[in-house]
Amino acid sequence: MKTTTDEILTAKDALVQSGIVRNGEYSSVFGGYISSFGASLVQAGLLPTIIFFEGDSEAKDRPLVIKALKKMMNLPDNTKMSEYILIKEQGESLRRCDSPAFISRVVRCMTAMKLALRMYNKIKVKD
C-alpha cells in the first residue's frame, strides 16, 4: 500500500483543521496518539479503538485524532464516529467496523496522517 500525495495533502489539511497542528507545530503527544491508534486497531479492532480515542479521558486532546480522521473521511464534525461505524451501508452485509474495505480506508487515512505530521515541527510536552 503506497500512500498517495493527495492522501498526504488531505491529511495535512485535516491536521490543521482539527487543531492538532497550530502555527506549523504540534505537541509531541500526537505522534504517540497516532502511532498507538494503529497498534490498538491491530490488537483490539476498529470499534474499541474508536471508542477509546473518542471517549472522555484525562487525555483531553486525544479525540482530536478522531476529529482529523473524520475530516479526512469527509464526515461532519457532529458525527459520532463510534455510532457511524456500527451502521451497515445499504446493500452491505457487514457493519462498517467489520468491513475490511472500510478498515483499510481508515488505515490509509491514519498512515497519511502519520506521514503528514512529520512535515511540521514537534514541540516537546513538559511533564
Side-chain angles (χ1 to χ4, degrees), residues 17-82:
Q17 292 173 15
S18 67
I20 291 174
V21 172
R22 294 184 187 125
N23 301 320
E25 299 176 324
Y26 68 95
S27 172
S28 60
V29 297
F30 287 107
Y33 290 158
I34 292 171
S35 292
S36 67
F37 186 98
S40 178
L41 180 62
V42 169
Q43 289 186 338
L46 183 58
L47 182 59
T49 299
I50 295 294
I51 290 170
F52 176 74
F53 274 80
E54 198 170 48
D56 294 330
S57 71
E58 292 177 14
K60 300 209 183 309
D61 49 0
R62 190 170 47 211
L64 293 179
V65 174
I66 300 301
K67 185 175 181 180
L69 178 61
K70 289 190 293 188
K71 291 200 176 295
M72 286 196 68
M73 299 181 86
N74 295 317
L75 300 175
D77 280 341
N78 63 351
T79 301
K80 186 150 175 139
M81 188 77 164
S82 55

Side-chain angles (χ1 to χ4, degrees), residues 85-114:
I85 65 174
L86 281 171
I87 297 169
K88 290 181 187 178
E89 290 190 50
Q90 192 169 9
E92 294 290 326
S93 61
L94 296 172
R95 291 184 178 103
R96 290 180 180 116
C97 61
D98 298 322
S99 165
F102 186 82
I103 293 169
S104 177
R105 184 172 171 216
V106 170
V107 168
R108 289 184 71 83
C109 289
M110 292 305 294
T111 301
M113 216 183 302
K114 186 173 182 177

